[in-house]
Amino acid sequence: MTTTVKSKKRFEMPHSLAIIVAVIIFACLLTYIIPAGTYDQMVNEAGNTVVDPDSFHYIEASPVNPLKFLTYIYKGLNSAAAIIFVLLCCSGGMGLVQSTGVLQGAANSLSKKIRGKEWMVISMITLLFTMLSSVTVSTLLIPLTPIGIMLAQALGMDMITGVGMVLLGTTIGSSTGALVAASTGIAHTIAGLPMYSGLGYRLICNIPFWLIGNLYLVRYAAKVRKDPTKSFVYGLKLNVNADTSNLVEFKKEHIPVAIVTVLGLGWQVAGSIRGVSDMQFTSNTFLYMGLAVAIVSRMKINEMCEKFLKSIGGLASVGMLIGFAYSISLILKDGMILDTIVHELSTMLGQIPVLLQAPVMFIMHCLINLLITSGSGQASASMPIFLPVADMIGMSRQLAVLCFNFGDGFCNAILPHAAVTLAMVSMGDIPFAKWFRFVWKLFAIWVLVGCVMLMIGTVIGY
């Protein structure tokens, strides 16, 4: 007698695109559930177009048919065009750098010198990206993701550690927004505060967030090195968008390429500090850097063209995912429910105890960030609402801006439709569900720490 044993069907994690499509359809359904409403627009004293916080009113419902969600994909791609174009240009330039073997050589040489001290590399890279994202839009750091990937592979770490070094550092810096014009700058302008005022406390806030994020990643990397089966991507065949077949020693011929690369990246950082860096500036910088690298490495013209096009070919899927993600906010706008959500959240604050008002405002910005992942977009949409509320409850506008910073930044680390997270995770070919399993506990810790830092800000009168 033969006994047949039925094997349990293994749960398969949904693809990033499937998750985004599910969110898109859910957004369409929300337009049937949440009443439509809107604020009137006005121009403030600084000349910015913002919403009039006293003008909210309900309007006729404008639901979006879930069966028509695909018609928003082109619109989403069009809205994300600047991000997609800068990704293509920068990845082309970085692809030429990678093709010379300079990153691989440097990573391999470094890995041999610090065996047993991998935590030092993790700490340095997360700190570097924390600093960079404190002065520039985090989107512009996406093309630098291969740096973390190369180091992780050379050091025998998994892909989550490689992407995590870049993405976690970027999240920390952008979440405090020390000198970021597209988030803090806009929020300060709307609030009528001096640009980048209150810098000291925002920089101080970076310290606990970086220490916790770095320790979290270092412990994970150590656990995976000790037992590879503990990796969230163990057993997966990842098609990483980086050439790792040439892990050679750093050689004399790499020096000119390294100099050009450092100068190019330095120019990008300098542009961010001077406030002139934008999508076009960044695209131009990486294109010229790639061309200069091709020249100093004596590439033939056909070889340069082939390597340039090959390096951007894999980003077609990333660009499409970003376009899908951008369609979510467009659906909510067409359904006229974004303003309703912001209005309902803002009216709740007056009933909260004083010490908890800032943490609750932080959580509210996280909820809004589920719908508006753009820092500049969220600042323009929500700050005109929350600032008058802050005035009424006696909260300083500086603290209100910090609530926005935290809510705009940390939440992006767990969102499948946040452009930076989506792009960096995709460049490591990590299924988003796997990334979420890794990062959600850290996000929860960051939220708790953020609430504490905001309560301290309340007590010291920040």
Side-chain angles (χ1 to χ4, degrees):
M1 183 175 179
T2 304
T3 304
T4 303
V5 179
K6 291 185 178 180
S7 59
K8 292 184 179 180
K9 188 176 181 180
R10 187 178 179 182
F11 174 73
E12 184 177 355
M13 292 292 180
H15 191 278
S16 297
L17 181 58
I19 295 173
I20 294 174
V21 169
V23 175
I24 290 173
I25 295 174
F26 179 66
C28 292
L29 296 176
L30 284 180
T31 63
Y32 286 87
I33 300 171
I34 299 175
T38 187
Y39 287 96
D40 295 331
Q41 301 286 320
M42 68 176 186
V43 179
N44 64 10
E45 295 179 358
N48 296 317
T49 300
V50 297
V51 298
D52 180 353
D54 299 319
S55 66
F56 179 80
H57 55 280
Y58 291 103
I59 58 176
E60 184 179 353
S62 179
V64 177
N65 188 339
L67 297 178
K68 294 184 178 181
F69 78 94
L70 287 177
T71 63
Y72 281 85
I73 304 308
Y74 176 81
K75 297 177 182 178
L77 285 166
N78 192 46
S79 298
I83 292 178
I84 295 172
F85 291 160
V86 76
L87 276 178
L88 296 177
C89 293
C90 294
S91 295
M94 281 299 293
L96 291 172
V97 174
Q98 290 175 223
S99 69
T100 66
V102 63
L103 294 180
Q104 300 93 320
N108 192 38
S109 298
L110 178 63
S111 68
K112 291 182 178 180
K113 294 179 180 179
I114 59 152
R115 287 293 178 187
K117 297 181 180 179
E118 287 79 6
W119 65 269
M120 293 179 61
V121 175
I122 296 174
S123 301
M124 288 188 297
I125 297 301
T126 54
L127 180 60
L128 171 64
F129 280 91
T130 296
M131 295 169 62
L132 289 175
S133 58
S134 295
V135 299
T136 190
V137 180
S138 55
T139 307
L140 306 182
L141 300 178
I142 294 173
L144 301 183
T145 307
I147 293 176
I149 291 175
M150 295 292 181
L151 285 169
Q153 293 179 320
L155 292 168
M157 298 183 287
D158 74 342
M159 197 51 55
I160 283 183
T161 305
V163 172
M165 285 188 280
V166 179
L167 181 49
L168 296 186
T170 299
T171 300
I172 294 165
S174 62
S175 297
T176 57
L179 294 167
V180 182
S183 56
T184 305
I186 292 177
H188 273 159
T189 301
I190 294 173
L193 296 170
M195 188 80 77
Y196 307 129
S197 56
L199 177 63
Y201 190 64
R202 289 203 305 280
L203 290 176
I204 290 174
C205 288
N206 273 325
I207 298 173
F209 291 127
W210 176 79
L211 287 174
I212 291 169
N214 185 65
L215 178 61
Y216 189 88
L217 186 58
V218 167
R219 289 186 63 185
Y220 170 81
K223 181 174 66 175
V224 171
R225 282 184 61 81
K226 184 176 181 180
D227 182 1
T229 63
K230 299 295 185 180
S231 170
F232 286 112
V233 291
Y234 177 76
L236 297 182
K237 294 182 179 180
L238 304 182
N239 182 27
V240 179
N241 186 26
D243 182 11
T244 59
S245 61
N246 187 29
L247 291 177
V248 298
E249 294 287 339
F250 188 84
K251 301 178 180 178
K252 186 182 296 185
E253 54 264 32
H254 288 143
I255 294 177
V257 177
I259 292 174
V260 170
T261 303
V262 170
L263 289 175
L265 297 180
W267 179 256
Q268 174 63 35
V269 173
S272 300
I273 295 174
R274 291 186 292 118
V276 298
S277 177
D278 56 15
M279 298 294 185
Q280 184 174 349
F281 178 93
T282 301
S283 297
N284 293 341
T285 298
F286 277 81
L287 288 173
Y288 276 109
M289 182 178 71
L291 177 61
V293 163
I295 292 173
V296 299
S297 62
R298 299 180 181 180
M299 284 187 196
K300 295 180 180 179
I301 293 179
N302 284 352
E303 180 186 8
M304 176 180 67
C305 295
E306 289 173 1
K307 289 180 176 178
F308 177 82
L309 293 177
K310 181 181 178 181
S311 64
I312 65 177
L315 284 180
S317 59
V318 177
M320 184 60 72
L321 286 171
I322 293 174
F324 268 73
Y326 264 64
S327 67
I328 296 170
S329 61
L330 297 178
I331 289 171
L332 296 176
K333 287 179 181 178
D334 281 1
M336 303 301 290
I337 65 173
L338 265 180
D339 285 357
T340 303
I341 294 171
V342 171
H343 172 71
E344 293 300 324
L345 290 175
S346 64
T347 55
M348 292 170 55
L349 273 174
Q351 305 172 12
I352 305 296
V354 174
L355 192 61
L356 298 179
Q357 286 173 344
V360 172
M361 184 180 285
F362 164 31
I363 302 301
M364 288 181 173
H365 277 292
C366 285
L367 295 174
I368 293 173
N369 197 56
L370 295 174
L371 310 174
I372 311 173
T373 57
S374 164
S376 57
Q378 187 177 162
S380 300
S382 65
M383 290 310 294
I385 311 302
F386 282 104
L387 287 170
V389 174
D391 292 339
M392 287 187 291
I393 62 178
M395 181 189 297
S396 74
R397 292 195 164 199
Q398 196 69 259
L399 190 60
V401 171
L402 190 60
C403 294
F404 154 72
N405 283 138
F406 287 179
D408 170 56
F410 291 117
C411 190
N412 286 333
I414 61 169
L415 297 181
H417 57 289
V420 175
T421 300
L422 177 62
M424 289 185 178
V425 170
S426 297
M427 290 177 76
D429 198 34
I430 302 170
F432 184 82
K434 298 289 187 180
W435 171 258
F436 183 86
R437 285 183 60 197
F438 160 74
V439 81
W440 75 266
K441 291 181 181 178
L442 176 60
F443 167 70
I445 297 171
W446 273 341
V447 169
L448 292 176
V449 174
C451 290
V452 171
M453 298 305 292
L454 290 170
M455 286 191 285
I456 292 173
T458 301
V459 172
I460 65 176
Y462 177 67

